[in-house]
Amino acid sequence: MTVALEELRTLRDTGRLAAGYPRVAALLAELTDTADRPDAETADELRRCGGLLARLRPQDVLAHHPDTPVATVAVTGHSGTAQLTDPLVAELARHGLLPRLVTGDHGAYLRDLTDPDSPLRRCGPQLTLCVLGADAVHDELRAPWTVADAEQAWHRLLDRLHAVAAAHHADGTGALVLTTLPLPRRLTHQIVDQQQRALLGAVWRECNARLLRLTAEHPALTVVDLDPLVGESGPATDPRLALYARSALSPAILSALAREAVHVLRARQGLTKKCLVLDLDNTLWDGVLGDDGPDGIACGATLRGEPYAALQRVAKQLAAQGVLLAVSSKNDPGPVAGVLRDHPDMTLRADDFVSVQAGWQPKDAALRDIAGRLGIAADALVFADDTAAERALVRHRVPGAAVVPLGREPARHVDRLLADGWFDTPTVTDDDRHRVRHYRAAADRSRLREAGGSYEQYLRELGIELDISPPRRHELHRMSQLSLRTNQFNLTGERVPPERMAALCADPRQLPLAVRVRDRYGDSGLVGAVLARRDGAALHIDNFFLSCRVLARGVEHGCVSALLAHARDRGLSAVGARHRATRSNGRTRGFYPSLGFVPRATDTGEETHYRHDLAEIPGPPGHLSVRADFEGDTDAC
């Protein structure tokens, strides 16, 4: 029994589990920080912890800790889903979420997902998970059956799933997760004609491919491909559970599916990590640089070096999709710089990293320094290290940072790094691909700021150009992504998934505006959005969010100034706005009052409504060049 499971049992047995819930995420993180334990053992321990936590009532936890984030998850499927509850509860709790599970009736997934009055639709889930197995096709076959019969059954299932996705797109909430259907041997080998057996495999894979392609039509839909999970975690089914419990998938696959489903939820709630911080010795290369010297380390195409070269290639692949790379290493800076510059076997070079912290300070301090230099929160970091003591230090002193346990076997480093999908995002945008370039430009700006002179002079020398207009169609995913990832300057803290952003843009009452910025050091691209709407003779700002990389340059003031001027020029009577306090946006509390907005006397609690009567409109900051077009071009949504 692990320490985590033992402590959870003690909390339960003493009636303190609800009061001690904030401790749960850390306990489960420690449980998964077992680099050299078999994954199956860790999954089994997580399931057992989930079984304890599943008995908790959310209201009991909230009575002690009202700010605990709650994740409402609806679960349904063609067959039984009871075996999914424990791993799903554990995965949600591991990521600091309080699970509220709503489970559909056995085999009633079509009603659950298409009837607006079904309990699963009425609960407004942030995530809906529909579990499918081969029985969704096989149950429609009558012996004797042919490959053609199986293909027709598959097509009927695809038609139903099209209807499910369409219903969710029309008026569903949150993300919808479907799964592909593994093809079990007990089905293929009922066909003794080997040519027909091969044809069944082809039909099955073609239909799974059609299911996966549904995601291109429905932004709220994710289809988890079970083939990689089966290949890594074991058999797709357990014959006893399949017959006696009507569970289409084995416990191992359900545990893996629970993990993947929570990755989807995290990504859609803006919990995607931004920066991968890597150790060097025995992480990016084999050996200790200080002891072995540059010639004694290995990271090339040799038996000794290949696992480390593989990790470097994966890190470079992640960086190409917008993941920032940094180094935290206890080494002298000079030799590290030399290896990054000159070592012939290195895949990663100095230019691949936005920060290299080589020195002898504690690694928790190094991580906080990296976050500060990048202007991101420390909980946006993922730390990968082969030393258990360093991982424990970071886990306890940098709350919220993810920790990747790299063990004694370097061949498993890549799997460990990718196991938790920390960088998963609904869509990779052009801005993601150019993120390193943006941070390089930020470093140039920092050097200009440090060159001396007043801050006002620095802003004038930047030559900031601000462009505000309705978004173009290709920019909707980026606007949604900003709402998911922006915390410090998000005036309501609300998230806007891609499908809702598209609906806002299609509504003639709405006035969504994209905020773009460039300066002498380059184009920062689309960095923010104002979500406004027309409300009779007034305009109302429902939300405003702006990337932290352009804060404190007057951009936020320039945006609202332009919107106020637009409302006045259109003869409107006022502009309303809303601010909702969150744990991260405290610095924005006085933003609207600083521009002449007056709070309404009826406001109470964390949400404040403001009104600007347009009598005196503040001009944009003098160092900004503002272009505002509230009509948009022909490509605007």
Side-chain angles (χ1 to χ4, degrees):
M1 184 190 302
T2 62
V3 172
L5 183 56
E6 185 175 359
E7 184 166 340
L8 287 178
R9 283 184 172 175
T10 300
L11 288 171
R12 180 202 62 184
D13 293 344
T14 57
R16 295 180 293 121
L17 188 52
Y21 195 80
R23 174 77 177 125
V24 169
L27 285 171
L28 298 182
E30 292 173 11
L31 187 156
T32 56
D33 190 1
T34 49
D36 298 305
R37 175 196 284 180
D39 291 341
E41 289 185 16
T42 300
D44 182 62
E45 287 290 287
L46 275 174
R47 281 195 295 271
R48 295 169 72 185
C49 291
L52 289 174
L53 295 169
R55 298 179 176 90
L56 264 181
R57 298 191 311 166
Q59 57 266 39
D60 292 339
V61 176
L62 294 173
H64 292 279
H65 310 286
D67 294 333
T68 305
V70 178
T72 301
V73 178
V75 179
T76 186
H78 175 264
S79 55
T81 61
Q83 302 293 322
L84 182 61
T85 297
D86 292 352
L88 187 56
V89 166
E91 290 293 339
L92 290 165
R94 185 161 74 92
H95 294 287
L97 301 170
L98 177 61
R100 178 179 283 142
L101 265 56
V102 180
T103 305
D105 294 330
H106 179 89
Y109 75 98
L110 280 176
R111 185 201 65 197
D112 289 340
L113 300 180
T114 59
D115 182 356
D117 293 324
S118 73
L120 266 69
R121 296 288 288 277
R122 289 201 309 270
C123 73
Q126 288 120 327
L127 177 74
T128 300
L129 177 56
C130 178
V131 182
L132 300 173
D135 56 344
V137 171
H138 187 229
D139 285 356
E140 295 203 4
L141 302 179
R142 297 292 178 266
W145 55 271
T146 66
V147 172
D149 295 330
E151 185 171 19
Q152 291 173 9
W154 244 115
H155 289 168
R156 290 193 294 273
L157 174 63
L158 287 170
D159 288 342
R160 297 184 195 113
L161 297 179
H162 270 284
V164 164
H168 191 86
H169 178 76
D171 56 4
T173 63
L176 170 64
V177 175
L178 303 177
T179 65
T180 58
L181 280 59
L183 176 58
R185 187 179 186 275
R186 63 179 173 81
L187 189 59
T188 60
H189 282 61
Q190 293 180 39
I191 303 293
V192 298
D193 182 322
Q194 292 178 333
Q195 287 185 337
Q196 287 296 300
R197 186 185 297 166
L199 180 59
L200 176 63
V203 166
W204 204 276
R205 287 164 177 81
E206 288 162 2
C207 290
N208 267 330
R210 288 180 58 189
L211 178 54
L212 287 162
R213 290 193 179 97
L214 271 179
T215 58
E217 303 173 34
H218 302 285
L221 172 65
T222 297
V223 179
V224 174
D225 188 353
L226 292 187
D227 278 356
L229 306 187
V230 172
E232 185 168 289
S233 301
T237 62
D238 180 309
R240 293 166 300 176
L241 289 174
L243 286 171
Y244 301 138
R246 294 291 294 166
S247 178
L249 301 173
S250 70
I253 299 306
L254 288 173
S255 290
L257 174 59
R259 174 176 282 196
E260 296 293 323
V262 175
H263 297 175
V264 174
L265 178 62
R266 271 204 343 254
R268 291 181 63 89
Q269 291 196 332
L271 301 177
T272 298
K273 305 295 186 181
K274 297 179 181 179
C275 179
L276 172 60
V277 183
L278 293 156
D279 179 38
L280 294 178
D281 293 336
N282 296 315
T283 296
L284 287 190
W285 56 63
D286 182 53
V288 177
L289 180 59
D291 295 338
D292 304 323
D295 295 333
I297 63 174
C299 55
T302 65
L303 188 63
R304 177 185 167 208
E306 179 55 37
Y308 303 93
L311 183 63
Q312 290 195 38
R313 290 193 295 268
V314 169
K316 197 171 185 74
Q317 172 72 13
L318 295 175
Q321 300 168 85
V323 177
L324 302 173
L325 301 182
V327 163
S328 173
S329 174
K330 287 188 174 178
N331 268 301
D332 290 327
V336 167
V339 170
L340 294 179
R341 183 183 63 245
D342 300 326
H343 199 287
D345 294 335
M346 287 290 292
T347 298
L348 296 172
R349 296 295 181 185
D351 286 346
D352 292 306
F353 298 99
V354 293
S355 179
V356 176
Q357 296 291 316
W360 299 98
Q361 65 176 325
K363 291 206 171 183
D364 61 307
L367 263 65
R368 284 192 291 270
D369 187 64
I370 289 169
R373 288 174 180 269
L374 297 178
I376 61 178
D379 63 7
L381 302 177
V382 175
F383 174 61
D385 197 294
D386 67 300
T387 303
E390 300 287 14
R391 297 195 303 268
L393 178 73
V394 168
R395 191 168 56 244
H396 288 97
R397 294 190 179 178
V398 190
V403 177
V404 176
L406 304 180
R408 291 188 295 269
E409 176 48 74
R412 302 190 69 194
H413 283 3
V414 168
D415 293 337
R416 293 294 187 191
L417 175 60
L418 301 178
D420 270 308
W422 294 116
F423 306 107
D424 286 3
T425 181
T427 303
V428 174
T429 66
D430 287 341
D431 189 86
D432 294 324
R433 298 183 182 95
H434 299 148
R435 183 165 288 123
V436 172
R437 185 180 69 191
H438 294 323
Y439 279 92
R440 299 261 178 246
D444 292 337
R445 294 184 190 98
S446 294
R447 284 190 285 273
L448 174 64
R449 176 71 187 97
E450 292 165 1
S454 68
Y455 192 70
E456 290 73 18
Q457 180 182 352
Y458 158 72
L459 292 176
R460 288 194 299 271
E461 291 183 9
L462 276 180
I464 302 170
E465 299 175 14
L466 169 61
D467 179 274
I468 311 166
S469 69
R472 288 119 191 166
R473 292 182 182 90
H474 71 276
E475 294 177 322
L476 296 182
H477 278 292
R478 170 60 180 162
M479 286 178 63
S480 172
Q481 183 187 74
L482 278 168
S483 82
L484 297 176
R485 294 186 176 184
T486 302
N487 297 305
Q488 295 181 57
F489 197 94
N490 184 328
L491 295 185
T492 68
E494 293 172 358
R495 315 300 184 183
V496 186
E499 67 277 6
R500 185 175 160 217
M501 189 67 74
L504 287 175
C505 288
D507 187 338
R509 297 168 298 178
Q510 302 290 331
L511 182 62
L513 298 168
V515 180
R516 310 172 193 88
V517 171
R518 63 177 298 117
D519 61 26
R520 63 183 284 185
Y521 292 108
D523 190 346
S524 295
L526 200 161
V527 294
V530 180
L531 302 183
R533 61 181 163 84
R534 301 168 180 88
D535 185 10
L539 199 64
H540 192 85
I541 302 173
D542 287 323
N543 200 6
F544 181 14
F545 41 87
L546 195 65
S547 170
C548 59
R549 70 174 184 243
V550 296
L551 291 180
R553 296 186 214 163
V555 171
E556 56 271 40
H557 297 85
C559 289
V560 175
S561 173
L563 190 64
L564 293 173
H566 167 72
R568 178 197 59 197
D569 295 344
R570 292 289 299 269
L572 300 180
S573 61
V575 172
R578 181 168 66 100
H579 180 274
R580 181 176 176 271
T582 71
R583 287 183 288 184
S584 302
N585 71 1
R587 64 180 293 176
T588 65
R589 183 175 295 276
F591 174 68
Y592 282 126
S594 73
L595 289 160
F597 285 79
V598 177
R600 284 165 33 184
T602 57
D603 292 325
T604 59
E606 295 180 343
E607 186 163 298
T608 304
H609 291 257
Y610 293 93
R611 185 179 187 277
H612 198 295
D613 62 10
L614 304 179
E616 296 185 17
I617 296 176
H623 63 272
L624 288 182
S625 171
V626 181
R627 175 189 173 273
D629 175 10
F630 293 94
E631 301 302 324
D633 56 30
T634 56
D635 189 43
C637 70

